[in-house]
Amino acid sequence: HVQLMESGGGSVQAGGSLKLSCEMSGDITSTFCLAWFRQFPGKGREGVAKMSSGGRIKYADAVKGRFTISQDTGKNILYLEMSILKPEDTAMYYCARRQDYYCNGGVPVPEEYPYWGQGTQVTVSS
């Protein structure tokens, strides 16, 4: 079993920055796809960014150039550095994992990921 726990959310003014963390524990494998999703009130989860153990990284167009996904392999922590934040980035952010590298080549889709964190809220005020 795999456990994920996000942290780092909060409130920030437009133009500001936040860094989200996702601590991963349990039966961690060396092959993986890792992703960040966000969910707006009343909407489904949408993919923000992903990275695979094969080195592929993909961002949603809405965050490209502003968000950076990275991992501290030794500590099993996934990060999402967010800069130039906009009010429309306000959402609940989730990290997710699958234990192989068979993630699709595009923006991550929720159905591909069996393991999820509980989410962390990001609020951007104008």
Side-chain angles (χ1 to χ4, degrees):
H1 192 60
V2 175
Q3 296 83 40
L4 307 178
M5 181 178 293
E6 302 95 338
S7 61
S11 297
V12 64
Q13 288 193 325
S17 301
L18 280 174
K19 184 175 183 178
L20 305 183
S21 299
C22 173
E23 294 185 43
M24 301 174 285
S25 60
D27 299 324
I28 300 296
T29 58
S30 59
T31 55
F32 53 81
C33 292
L34 304 173
W36 287 97
F37 293 83
R38 62 187 180 185
Q39 187 168 21
F40 305 110
K43 303 287 187 180
R45 294 179 185 180
E46 68 172 36
V48 173
K50 74 172 187 191
M51 64 183 305
S52 72
S53 52
R56 291 186 300 172
I57 291 177
K58 182 74 174 180
Y59 296 97
D61 288 343
V63 306
K64 201 173 296 182
R66 300 189 298 123
F67 290 12
T68 302
I69 187 171
S70 63
Q71 183 192 15
D72 184 327
T73 306
K75 296 181 180 178
N76 285 328
I77 300 177
L78 177 70
Y79 299 104
L80 184 68
E81 294 185 78
M82 307 183 294
S83 62
I84 319 175
L85 282 162
K86 305 175 182 180
E88 51 264 42
D89 294 318
T90 295
M92 184 72 79
Y93 283 73
Y94 298 88
C95 61
R97 181 183 179 101
R98 60 179 293 148
Q99 300 274 71
D100 57 42
Y101 50 77
Y102 297 116
C103 37
N104 73 74
V107 176
V109 293
E111 293 75 20
E112 291 189 340
Y113 293 81
Y115 300 108
W116 292 81
Q118 83 290 347
T120 186
Q121 177 68 36
V122 172
T123 302
V124 184
S125 59
S126 57

